[in-house]
Amino acid sequence: MPNRRTVLFATSATTIEGIVERVTFHNPDNGFCVLRVKVPGRRDLETVVGHLASISAGEELRGAGEWINDLAHGPQFKASSLHTEPPTSLAGIQRYLGSGLIRGIGPQFARRLVEKFGARVFEVIEKQPHALREVDGIGPARATHIVFAWTGQKIIRDIMVFLYAHGVGTSRAARIYKTYGADAIALISENPYRLARDIRGVGFVTADALARTLGIEPTALIRVRAGISYALSEALDQGQCGLPREELLQRAGTLLAVPAAVVLTALDAELAAQIVVAGRTSGRDCVFLAWLHESERQIATRLRQIGTGPPSWPPIDTDKALEWVQRKLALTLADRQREAVRQAITSKLLVITGGPGVGKTTIVRAILAILKAKRVAVAMCAPTGRAAKRLSEVTGLEAKTIHRLLEVNPVDGRFRRGPSSPLDCDLLVVDETSMVDVPLMHALVRAVPDRAAVILVGDIDQLPSVGPGRVLADIIESGAVPVVRLTEVFRQAAASRIIVNAHRVNHGEMPELTAPTDGASDFYFVEIATPEEGVPKIVQIVSERIPQRFGLHPIRDIQVLCPMNRGALGARSLNLELQRVLNPAPVQAVERFGWNFAVGDKVMQIENDYDKDVYNGDIGFVRHIDSDTSDLTIDVDGRHVVYAAHELDQLVLAYATTIHKAQGCEYPAVVIPVTTQHYPLLQRNLIYTGLTRGRKLVVLVGQIKALAIAVKGTRTVHRWSKLGDYLSTRSS
């Protein structure tokens, strides 16, 4: 019986040739694409689906595969392999050059180039680049950009040919070129396993397939050592700093399918080369990535050094200071808050932790007011731009992202601030510390001057850092650092159903779902029977109900937060639906890497770009699209950042995003789908983190059963790390 989506009406393999008229969809991560192709002899455009590393309108396409009839989308050619060539017709050349593939050339310059050089335009770009300046509007800088981009595309095609010849998919060719440059083929031939280590989206299996075609034996030491490193790298992506020895051997053995003795030999080689190190924690013998293990050790050493001795500022009469600051800020501090302020102004190292509404911000404001009055030099930072901005707003003092505070070098991603060039401050305040992973904390503590005190602020009940480690939790649990735990929810905060329900969830209790009858609330639960009901319901809530009732802007003020990316109620699907409704008729748009980006769209950066000073999770708005070059100008927290067309794989739509991506951010209103469709990720700290992102309004849309699974569940994965051991000196 055929499935619901697809019925084959021709099963024999066949071929297709034509000109790509439009790239409907292209995913740079796996190369999957949906193309509209003009096939000679056929009146209408044909739909072709397959995989290509890069594709642009105007290219000549050849493919092998079969015709199918998709019940949702109609007849289409499902390709098992696709190959492209630069176009030969003038119309195709113009369309190809104007697609945004080549930096510096958009539709207008493409037309001028073809009018000037005709079919010779590719030869001119490659062999006579000086002639490009004969075209009106192309100066030395633009000509250089064009030649550089064209050269890059040629190398990418060479990489594609190399990979294809060795039986490997070509979808990662562009990223391989970006990583290795012109030496890509030589480097891959020398050690194909570097692909699994260096290229996002290339797994060990793919690299292994390439290695086999290059003659590397299954039991070769280079292969088995690479498998061990890959198993540990996968664990790192899951937040681990290492793995129990038995678990690592099991993972590597399953991956490699070689005798256990061979894996043990390779592990010994990795240990001897100090690529990995052995250690013991939580009663288990573990293996850690050496650089990460050393980072944890250095964090512990540096924190103990920082916490030694009195602060650099003169002694302060804490009783008088407390009376003064309460008058100045019109505050009445509770006993626990007063004690926290006392510790902060008399200690060199302190952790302040607690959930929403317990007064963390109030304490920080009081501490800073006292110390600024004593002319103490203060530096403040947070892991994300949004968190830093919020810290600035609540304290009235400048706060920076950790990357900006440490002055990241855009060329290599290294930090200029460190032991030889420390920060110039007497006190460093770090907010949202639960988000800080081991590498970033290592860089931060190295840059703290010896005289400076440090205050770490955070909520350990939120989701842990995306990167490896559990830094804040390890510091608190070690008992080696003074900790102020705030638990009392203050009266003003207690009036918020968001805060009350967040604490209920954190304690394993169901939130109060019934809306009050005596006026507006800041927390609502909208029940749906099935996940399928959720999409139109969420679109309606975001586009109509919240704006009409609360006066909030549907794009700027409302953020949909999803447990996961996949599925009908995942971030990707909801982004497309919300874009269709919230930005239906944009003035300008450009199609790249599987997304349509239009003026007015909300977008998110998905990887660190040190050169642009934008980081993973930063949100911005499309303000302008250059009609000549297809460059996008994005407003990121008031800064205008320009993206070339080939850089748009760094961006995704952000009408909806995952809760993980929203860590450290606050929004006026959040809408959170919670259904059984999200079961793999339903856990208490996920819902708790989502609830605490909403400042004025939280709306849950979902099934009570799914919410109960999340609230009652504690299926959190143990993170293997050594920081706590090093801090408490229990390390062996």
Side-chain angles (χ1 to χ4, degrees):
M1 183 176 180
N3 63 38
R4 184 176 65 87
R5 291 275 303 174
T6 304
V7 177
L8 300 182
F9 65 80
T11 58
S12 59
T14 186
T15 60
I16 191 172
E17 294 185 7
I19 306 296
V20 178
E21 290 288 329
R22 186 167 70 251
V23 180
T24 302
F25 176 83
H26 182 248
N27 184 340
D29 287 335
N30 58 22
F32 178 75
C33 55
V34 180
L35 312 174
R36 297 285 283 165
V37 178
K38 177 61 179 174
V39 178
R42 302 197 181 194
R43 183 180 63 183
D44 298 325
L45 297 179
E46 303 293 349
T47 299
V48 177
V49 297
H51 291 80
L52 284 166
S54 63
I55 182 67
S56 293
E59 290 188 284
E60 297 178 0
L61 182 80
R62 291 182 292 116
E66 60 187 2
W67 288 96
I68 66 171
N69 185 35
D70 187 288
L71 295 184
H73 303 289
Q76 55 185 234
F77 187 85
K78 185 178 180 181
S80 57
S81 66
L82 287 174
H83 308 281
T84 61
E85 297 289 342
T88 55
S89 71
L90 292 183
I93 292 171
Q94 183 172 324
R95 192 178 299 109
Y96 175 74
L97 288 173
S99 67
L101 182 71
I102 310 298
R103 175 80 187 271
I105 303 180
Q108 296 300 322
F109 281 115
R111 178 181 56 78
R112 295 176 196 174
L113 284 165
V114 171
E115 288 176 351
K116 177 70 177 177
F117 302 113
R120 295 178 50 246
V121 65
F122 297 147
E123 181 184 349
V124 170
I125 294 173
E126 189 171 340
K127 298 179 180 180
Q128 300 172 279
H130 60 277
L132 294 174
R133 296 171 61 182
E134 298 174 13
V135 176
D136 186 36
I138 297 182
R142 189 180 298 273
T144 300
H145 284 310
I146 292 171
V147 173
F148 180 79
W150 178 257
T151 302
Q153 287 299 316
K154 283 197 64 182
I155 296 173
I156 289 171
R157 292 182 182 277
D158 290 342
I159 296 171
M160 290 173 66
V161 171
F162 171 80
L163 294 174
Y164 184 77
H166 291 283
V168 178
T170 60
S171 61
R172 293 290 185 277
R175 192 167 289 275
I176 291 170
Y177 169 66
K178 188 176 181 180
T179 304
Y180 302 137
D183 297 328
I185 293 174
L187 291 170
I188 296 168
S189 300
E190 178 191 358
N191 180 8
Y193 294 104
R194 69 173 67 241
L195 289 171
R197 182 190 66 211
D198 299 335
I199 308 300
R200 175 166 58 88
V202 176
F204 180 86
V205 174
T206 300
D208 202 33
L210 175 59
R212 282 198 301 272
T213 68
L214 294 172
I216 296 175
E217 295 292 327
T219 57
L221 201 58
I222 187 175
R223 176 178 184 262
V224 185
R225 289 181 65 176
I228 290 172
S229 291
Y230 182 72
L232 278 174
S233 297
E234 277 196 315
L236 184 149
D237 291 339
Q238 298 161 1
Q240 308 287 1
C241 296
L243 286 173
R245 180 183 172 94
E246 297 84 356
E247 185 177 341
L248 173 61
L249 292 172
Q250 182 182 20
R251 288 194 185 193
T254 301
L255 178 71
L256 297 162
V258 297
V262 177
V263 180
L264 281 170
T265 300
L267 178 57
D268 288 341
E270 290 285 278
L271 288 165
Q274 298 184 334
I275 296 171
V276 301
V277 297
R280 189 170 178 82
T281 185
S282 301
R284 303 281 298 277
D285 291 325
C286 295
V287 179
F288 299 89
L289 289 166
W291 67 270
L292 208 52
H293 183 270
E294 180 62 15
S295 295
E296 289 197 291
R297 189 189 66 78
Q298 291 187 19
I299 292 171
T301 300
R302 187 66 186 128
L303 287 176
R304 283 197 296 268
Q305 292 170 346
I306 291 169
T308 302
S312 62
W313 51 83
I316 297 172
D317 187 322
T318 56
D319 289 334
K320 289 184 178 179
L322 283 164
E323 292 176 9
W324 173 83
V325 80
Q326 289 182 102
R327 289 196 307 271
K328 180 176 177 61
L329 301 181
L331 297 173
T332 301
L333 297 173
D335 290 345
R336 191 63 177 143
Q337 291 180 309
R338 292 169 65 91
E339 181 56 31
V341 175
R342 290 182 192 275
Q343 288 197 55
I345 61 180
T346 58
S347 307
K348 281 202 70 189
L349 181 61
L350 181 67
V351 174
I352 301 173
T353 187
V358 297
K360 296 191 300 294
T361 300
T362 299
I363 291 172
V364 172
R365 287 179 60 214
I367 294 166
L368 294 177
I370 293 170
L371 294 180
K372 289 297 289 183
K374 297 295 183 180
R375 301 186 182 278
V376 173
V378 176
M380 299 195 303
C381 63
T384 67
R386 292 255 170 152
K389 185 178 181 181
R390 190 177 72 251
L391 184 59
S392 294
E393 291 169 351
V394 299
T395 63
L397 302 173
E398 183 186 24
K400 299 179 179 179
T401 64
I402 297 175
H403 284 84
R404 290 190 68 191
L405 182 72
L406 298 180
E407 299 177 18
V408 65
N409 185 334
V411 177
D412 56 14
R414 297 177 182 268
F415 296 111
R416 295 190 176 96
R417 294 290 186 175
S420 61
S421 182
L423 300 169
D424 184 15
C425 63
D426 301 310
L427 171 67
L428 174 66
V429 178
V430 186
D431 198 16
E432 297 286 356
T433 311
S434 63
M435 294 179 61
V436 181
D437 60 18
V438 168
L440 194 55
M441 179 58 77
H442 179 230
L444 185 59
V445 297
R446 280 168 49 87
V448 176
D450 291 335
R451 72 178 190 277
V454 174
I455 298 176
L456 305 175
V457 185
D459 181 358
I460 59 170
D461 293 318
Q462 291 188 27
L463 290 167
S465 60
V466 175
R470 51 193 303 271
V471 172
L472 184 62
D474 279 344
I475 291 172
I476 292 173
E477 292 171 11
S478 73
V481 176
V483 177
V484 174
R485 298 176 184 267
L486 302 172
T487 57
E488 180 185 355
V489 179
F490 291 96
R491 184 165 48 189
Q492 184 176 357
S496 166
R497 295 181 76 227
I498 295 174
I499 291 175
V500 170
N501 281 328
H503 282 279
R504 287 179 65 92
V505 168
N506 197 32
H507 292 125
E509 302 171 9
M510 285 287 285
E512 176 55 56
L513 301 181
T514 305
T517 56
D518 55 348
S521 173
D522 62 359
F523 179 93
Y524 294 89
F525 178 77
V526 179
E527 188 173 5
I528 55 176
T530 65
E532 290 73 20
E533 293 179 29
V535 175
K537 183 69 69 176
I538 287 173
V539 171
Q540 183 192 36
I541 288 171
V542 172
S543 63
E544 299 176 17
R545 293 175 63 177
I546 293 178
Q548 291 171 4
R549 183 165 184 181
F550 297 93
L552 297 174
H553 192 279
I555 299 177
R556 292 193 307 270
D557 298 331
I558 306 172
Q559 185 63 54
V560 178
L561 300 179
C562 305
M564 57 202 302
N565 263 311
R566 301 185 306 276
L569 285 173
R572 179 170 184 90
S573 175
L574 285 172
N575 264 316
L576 297 176
E577 293 297 322
L578 288 165
Q579 182 192 45
R580 179 178 59 81
V581 173
L582 298 178
N583 197 16
V587 178
Q588 292 173 289
V590 62
E591 182 183 329
R592 293 290 285 167
F593 301 106
W595 296 101
N596 278 304
F597 297 107
V599 172
D601 277 336
K602 184 194 295 188
V603 296
M604 175 181 284
Q605 178 80 12
I606 59 171
E607 60 184 57
N608 292 340
D609 189 322
Y610 304 112
D611 192 35
K612 298 184 189 298
D613 194 22
V614 288
Y615 302 97
N616 191 357
D618 284 353
I619 285 180
F621 301 88
V622 181
R623 295 304 186 211
H624 177 69
I625 300 176
D626 190 307
S627 58
D628 287 331
T629 64
S630 297
D631 291 357
L632 264 66
T633 300
I634 311 295
D635 183 336
V636 182
D637 290 328
R639 290 189 306 116
H640 281 189
V641 183
V642 177
Y643 290 77
H646 71 276
E647 296 175 320
L648 298 184
D649 61 340
Q650 300 182 36
L651 298 174
V652 296
L653 293 177
Y655 298 97
T657 186
T658 64
I659 295 173
H660 285 82
K661 285 287 191 183
Q663 290 183 84
C665 299
E666 280 190 351
Y667 311 92
V670 299
V671 178
I672 307 173
V674 185
T675 72
T676 52
Q677 188 182 83
H678 303 124
Y679 179 78
L681 291 178
L682 290 180
Q683 55 192 47
R684 186 183 303 168
N685 59 354
L686 184 85
I687 302 300
Y688 173 75
T689 302
L691 294 181
T692 56
R693 300 310 89 200
R695 198 163 56 244
K696 298 179 180 178
L697 179 67
V698 170
V699 180
L700 294 182
V701 180
Q703 300 163 299
I704 293 178
K705 178 183 177 181
L707 184 58
I709 291 171
V711 172
K712 301 299 181 184
T714 55
R715 297 178 292 108
T716 55
V717 177
H718 178 78
R719 290 198 172 190
W720 298 97
S721 67
K722 286 284 287 181
L723 178 58
D725 292 340
Y726 280 131
L727 281 167
S728 60
T729 68
R730 295 194 305 266
S731 170
S732 61

